Amino acid sequence: MRIFVVTGHTAAITPDFPLDDLPGSAGRLDILARCVTAAFCTSHGIRRYVEVYLVLRDQVTVRFEGARLKRLNPDERSTGALIKHALQALREGRSEGTPGVSVFQDGLEGVLSKLQAQGVDCYVLDENGRDIRTIDLREPAAFILSDHLNFTPHEEELLSGFERLSLGPVVLHADHCIPLVHNELDRRLA
Ligand SMILES: C[S@@+](CC[C@H](N)C(=O)[O-])C[C@H]1O[C@@H](n2cnc3c(N)ncnc32)[C@H](O)[C@@H]1O
């Protein structure tokens, strides 16, 4: 199992945004939608062994489970719609928006506790960390990254105990980091 945890610092936590404005009124939800497709979509299918946690404003978490996921397409808008359905479900007191997309009122601390309780190795993606190519990785592993902003001081505190892994010297967009992690692990398993 490969898990990606993305912190969205400005993202909407209610469904009251138009799908035509993911970068604007939805608070850069476009970045998070691209992270989701980067984590799951291959040329001809879905990576079923992946989970993505989108931690929105450290208050609400939307979880995508590859094993049960339906209706995920490679475009941002339809992924934005899955997030919107999940936020609508939260408003109505339900825990699932569409199959494989659940939602709960939890921030980064809760997500990390859950992963650790499941025995998942957690790593922070950081350009100043240790080169990912120099370490042994075993699955389940979780990779934690930020959206377009730095981790907040509170998040940094929560993440301080985890090893930091670099994907190279250049600072990349969050959604570009995810395929690089997949590629590292894909090559090791091939
Ligand atoms: C666009 S960056 C965040 C903004 C960035 N800290 C800045 O303002 O310069 C998104 C996230 O991708 C990850 N990231 C970007 N480049 C990376 C690299 N070369 N190695 C590892 N992680 C990287 C980090 O987790 C980072 O928080």
Side-chain angles (χ1 to χ4, degrees):
M1 173 82 71
R2 294 179 201 171
I3 299 162
F4 297 92
V5 178
V6 190
T7 57
H9 296 100
T10 57
I13 54 171
T14 63
D16 311 312
F17 56 85
L19 289 173
D20 288 335
D21 193 23
L22 295 181
S25 43
R28 295 313 313 264
L29 210 55
D30 59 316
I31 297 173
L32 304 183
R34 286 196 294 275
C35 286
V36 171
T37 50
F40 288 107
C41 294
T42 60
S43 183
H44 297 292
I46 298 275
R47 292 180 189 262
R48 294 284 170 198
Y49 47 88
V50 168
E51 284 186 2
V52 172
Y53 290 77
L54 302 179
V55 183
L56 313 179
R57 297 184 185 231
D58 208 16
Q59 294 174 52
V60 171
T61 295
V62 178
R63 180 179 62 186
F64 291 73
E65 290 170 90
R68 299 180 50 242
L69 200 51
K70 292 207 168 88
R71 298 190 221 158
L72 181 75
N73 295 304
D75 66 291
E76 268 165 46
R77 194 178 196 281
S78 62
T79 308
L82 296 181
I83 298 169
K84 190 173 161 101
H85 285 308
L87 295 174
Q88 183 64 36
L90 182 68
R91 176 175 278 174
E92 293 168 5
R94 291 178 289 118
S95 61
E96 191 166 79
T98 48
V101 187
S102 51
V103 62
F104 40 99
Q105 224 138 14
D106 223 343
L108 184 62
E109 188 168 7
V111 171
L112 295 176
S113 318
K114 214 169 284 175
L115 294 176
Q116 286 183 293
Q118 291 166 12
V120 176
D121 288 341
C122 296
Y123 300 96
V124 181
L125 294 182
D126 177 346
E127 62 277 10
N128 297 311
R130 185 170 159 196
D131 188 336
I132 193 169
R133 295 191 173 169
T134 66
I135 73 153
D136 280 335
L137 288 170
R138 66 170 185 96
E139 297 184 49
F143 302 91
I144 303 151
L145 63 166
S146 183
D147 54 1
H148 58 302
L149 301 174
N150 289 328
F151 290 116
T152 65
H154 176 61
E155 289 166 347
E156 286 289 4
E157 204 180 309
L158 295 173
L159 298 171
S160 61
F162 300 124
E163 182 150 27
R164 291 182 172 247
L165 299 183
S166 169
L167 299 163
V170 177
V171 182
L172 303 167
H173 289 299
D175 57 310
H176 295 175
C177 291
I178 291 171
L180 293 181
V181 173
H182 273 319
N183 186 252
E184 277 301 320
L185 291 164
D186 290 348
R187 293 167 77 98
R188 292 177 198 200
L189 291 176

